[in-house]
């Protein structure tokens, strides 16, 4: 397994600061995705924008693994809060990830369960969770929690949808890519962690808040990942 770290964001705003600050050595394009190879915060990285949605995220993650031999995948960006204790600007670090829009319930499977697969709940790497939490607690003015990240191919912007997702899955936040990244990493036995800044409460004001918060969230995510990689380099050098 390679030591290169894959850094993914769904949107241009979510990777812009990484691209500005990294030392880029090369760029390659596959399946319409541009992969920037170089170093960031002292670590070898490949930075890329996956595009929005689970298919884009899955394709991007598999390409990182196949083409660049990454040993870890970090996905960062914004999400809508499901946990009522979370506010805009708070951080959720994935403990687990689930695709909430998988629904084979007519066949007797609980919602969110992928039929005939060993698991549908994908566990993030404990060491990367620890590094992310330490960095998040230092970087955010609000709170940082470990939690379940829910992913699906729709933008949640209704309190009733929030209630249903919270009650059915116990999710901390909801977005459109993380569990797809987690699924691919699980199949390839690659460590991962998803780091999400709350841009909205997934309610009627979600569209406005999402737009306003994107750049602020990007700065926070940049600082968190930078701190994570610095600590990781220290630990890695002592192995």
């Amino acid at each position: 397994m390679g030591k290169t770290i894959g850094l993914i964001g769904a949107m241009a705003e979510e990777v812009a600061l990484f691209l500005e600050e990294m030392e880029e050595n090369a760029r390659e394009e596959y399946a319409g995705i541009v992969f920037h190879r170089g170093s960031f915060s002292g670590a070898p990285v490949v930075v890329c924008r996956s595009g929005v949605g689970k298919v884009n995220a899955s394709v991007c993650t598999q390409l990182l693994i196949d083409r660049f031999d990454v040993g870890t995948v970090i996905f960062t960006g914004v999400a809508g809060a499901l946990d009522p204790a979370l506010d805009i600007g708070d951080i959720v670090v994935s403990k687990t990830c689930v695709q909430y829009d998988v629904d084979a319930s007519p066949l007797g499977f609980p919602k969110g369960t992928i039929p005939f697969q060993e698991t549908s709940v994908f566990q993030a790497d404990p060491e990367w969770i620890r590094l992310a939490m330490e960095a998040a607690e230092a970087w955010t003015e609000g709170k940082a929690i470990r939690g379940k990240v829910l992913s699906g191919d729709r933008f949640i912007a209704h309190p009733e949808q929030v209630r249903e997702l919270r009650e059915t899955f116990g999710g901390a936040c909801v977005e459109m890519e993380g569990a797809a990244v987690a699924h691919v990493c699980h199949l390839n036995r690659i460590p991962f962690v998803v780091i999400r800044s709350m841009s909205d409460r997934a309610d009627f004001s979600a569209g406005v808040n999402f737009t306003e918060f994107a750049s602020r969230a990007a700065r926070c995510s940049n600082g968190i990942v930078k701190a994570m990689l610095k600590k990781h380099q220290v630990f890695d050098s002592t192995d």
Side-chain angles (χ1 to χ4, degrees):
M1 185 186 300
K3 291 189 176 182
T4 300
I5 296 166
L7 301 180
I8 311 176
M11 302 182 299
E13 299 94 323
E14 293 170 335
V15 298
L17 289 176
F18 295 126
L19 296 178
E20 288 178 14
E21 296 182 13
M22 72 179 291
E23 296 179 15
E24 184 175 327
N25 300 324
R27 65 180 67 183
E28 301 175 36
E29 182 174 341
Y30 302 103
I33 302 169
V34 179
F35 297 85
H36 305 262
R37 189 166 43 174
S39 62
F40 179 77
S41 195
V45 298
V46 178
V47 178
C48 50
R49 177 177 65 85
S50 64
V52 174
K54 294 195 301 177
V55 172
N56 284 329
S58 299
V59 170
C60 182
T61 305
Q62 192 64 55
L63 285 168
L64 279 172
I65 294 167
D66 289 344
R67 299 280 185 171
F68 299 97
D69 191 31
V70 298
T72 301
V73 174
I74 300 173
F75 195 103
T76 183
V78 296
L82 297 176
D83 186 335
L86 291 172
D87 203 350
I88 292 174
D90 290 343
I91 303 294
V92 173
V93 174
S94 64
K95 186 175 181 180
T96 57
C97 297
V98 171
Q99 298 172 65
Y100 71 83
D101 59 349
V102 174
D103 186 358
S105 55
L107 299 178
F109 296 94
K111 288 184 178 180
T113 298
I114 303 168
F116 317 118
Q117 184 165 289
E118 61 176 347
T119 185
S120 302
V121 180
F122 305 109
Q123 307 281 334
D125 180 75
E127 181 61 18
W128 283 105
I129 292 173
R130 185 184 68 79
L131 291 173
M133 283 296 299
E134 289 179 0
E137 288 168 353
W139 265 92
T140 181
E141 296 177 0
K143 64 175 69 71
I145 68 167
R146 298 173 180 85
K148 182 184 290 184
V149 175
L150 304 184
S151 305
D153 282 321
R154 58 176 176 167
F155 187 87
I156 301 299
H158 195 289
E160 182 60 26
Q161 294 172 330
V162 170
R163 184 194 62 77
E164 180 183 355
L165 290 174
R166 181 70 176 166
E167 291 181 358
T168 303
F169 299 102
C173 67
V174 62
E175 36 86 303
M176 298 178 70
E177 297 87 21
V181 172
H183 191 166
V184 174
C185 287
H186 170 78
L187 293 175
N188 288 274
R189 303 184 185 277
I190 298 291
F192 77 90
V193 68
V194 176
I195 304 163
R196 290 294 193 175
S197 300
M198 300 304 99
S199 61
D200 57 81
R201 293 180 179 274
D203 56 15
F204 293 126
S205 62
V208 174
N209 292 336
F210 177 88
T211 302
E212 291 179 351
F213 188 74
S215 60
R216 177 181 159 194
R219 289 192 297 273
C220 184
S221 296
N222 179 268
I224 290 170
V225 173
K226 189 182 297 182
M228 288 170 63
L229 296 189
K230 283 181 179 177
K231 285 193 174 184
H232 174 68
Q233 289 299 100
V234 172
F235 296 139
D236 199 46
S237 66
T238 61
D239 289 346

